[in-house]
Amino acid sequence: RNRLMEKVNELNRLANVEGKGRGDMDLTCVLEAERLAGRPLCTCCARQPVGAQPDAAGAGGSILAATSSCRCCGPNGAGCTPPVLMKVAQALLRSLERLRRVLQRYAQCLYQLNSHLANNPDLVRALERFEAAWETANRYLAQPGQRRVALGAYHVVAGIRQPGFQDALASLDPGVLVSSVPRAILFHEMRRAVAAGSGAGVGGGGGGGGGAASG
């Protein structure tokens, strides 16, 4: 499989129309995608509205902390895959399978392959889609920091129960993507900060009252 990726990188450099195809793609995120895609889909986030997790984000923790508690497959979601990661993993595996089919077809009738690789539209398209899917998967599956951010953002967005919001999100409504999603995350963080400040104030006030009574 490492040999296959080497050849894919070589083809990607040669067949890229602009001559800027990546040549550094490896199997790390592909293997992680296979591991995630082989697990059942986690449904916890979709069932719980924002603020309904008293031991996670709703209790003053950050939105990233809410992703560490999974009710359907045990602590830390060890046996399931969150929907946002499942989508990234499946997109990568589909693009790899599509590229494989294109290469197998040309292997059976090599004379149909144009020696100027950039003049083979189906090969170019398959390579471009794989490169784009690989870049996304490498960012959100192989890098822990970016992965936590993606999970935290998904947790907030999936918890919104406002009528029409999820439909607009599914239809990629630009108004929702550009305006509503960032506002939802900001509003969630503001609620978290207020809850944390209120908790600190109550604790401090209780301590002061005890001191006055004792005096």
Side-chain angles (χ1 to χ4, degrees):
R1 300 185 71 181
N2 287 322
R3 182 69 171 164
L4 171 63
M5 287 301 298
E6 290 177 6
K7 293 303 180 182
V8 167
N9 281 321
E10 185 176 351
L11 284 173
N12 197 45
R13 289 193 303 268
L14 296 173
N16 188 275
V17 177
E18 299 178 356
K20 298 179 180 178
R22 295 188 70 117
D24 60 346
M25 296 182 289
D26 58 25
L27 280 172
T28 303
C29 60
V30 175
L31 296 176
E32 180 64 10
E34 291 176 342
R35 187 179 70 86
L36 293 173
R39 293 176 170 182
L41 184 67
C42 178
T43 58
C44 287
C45 290
R47 291 198 301 266
Q48 296 294 330
V50 173
Q53 297 82 0
D55 57 347
S62 109
I63 61 175
L64 303 183
T67 63
S68 64
S69 178
C70 177
R71 298 171 180 81
C72 64
C73 289
N76 300 317
C80 62
T81 299
V84 63
L85 298 186
M86 181 69 81
K87 185 175 180 65
V88 172
Q90 290 178 341
L92 176 61
L93 297 179
R94 280 197 304 267
S95 66
L96 179 58
E97 182 58 31
R98 185 183 299 115
L99 177 58
R100 246 193 217 122
R101 289 198 300 267
V102 171
L103 295 177
Q104 288 172 349
R105 187 174 70 249
Y106 278 125
Q108 295 172 357
C109 47
L110 197 57
Y111 67 89
Q112 294 184 357
L113 182 67
N114 192 310
S115 58
H116 297 283
L117 297 180
N119 292 331
N120 299 280
D122 53 347
L123 176 61
V124 171
R125 187 163 52 252
L127 286 167
E128 287 177 345
R129 289 179 176 176
F130 176 71
E131 180 179 331
W134 183 92
E135 288 179 340
T136 300
N138 186 58
R139 182 179 303 115
Y140 294 113
L141 300 186
Q143 299 181 29
Q146 294 291 337
R147 179 167 172 159
R148 287 194 297 271
V149 169
L151 287 172
Y154 172 79
H155 171 79
V156 173
V157 171
I160 297 174
R161 292 295 176 262
Q162 182 179 357
F165 179 84
Q166 295 298 333
D167 291 338
L169 188 64
S171 65
L172 300 180
D173 182 349
V176 172
L177 296 176
V178 174
S179 177
S180 298
V181 172
R183 287 178 182 175
I185 295 176
L186 178 60
F187 177 68
H188 184 81
E189 287 297 289
M190 289 171 65
R191 287 183 59 186
R192 178 186 67 82
V194 169
S198 299
V202 170
S214 63

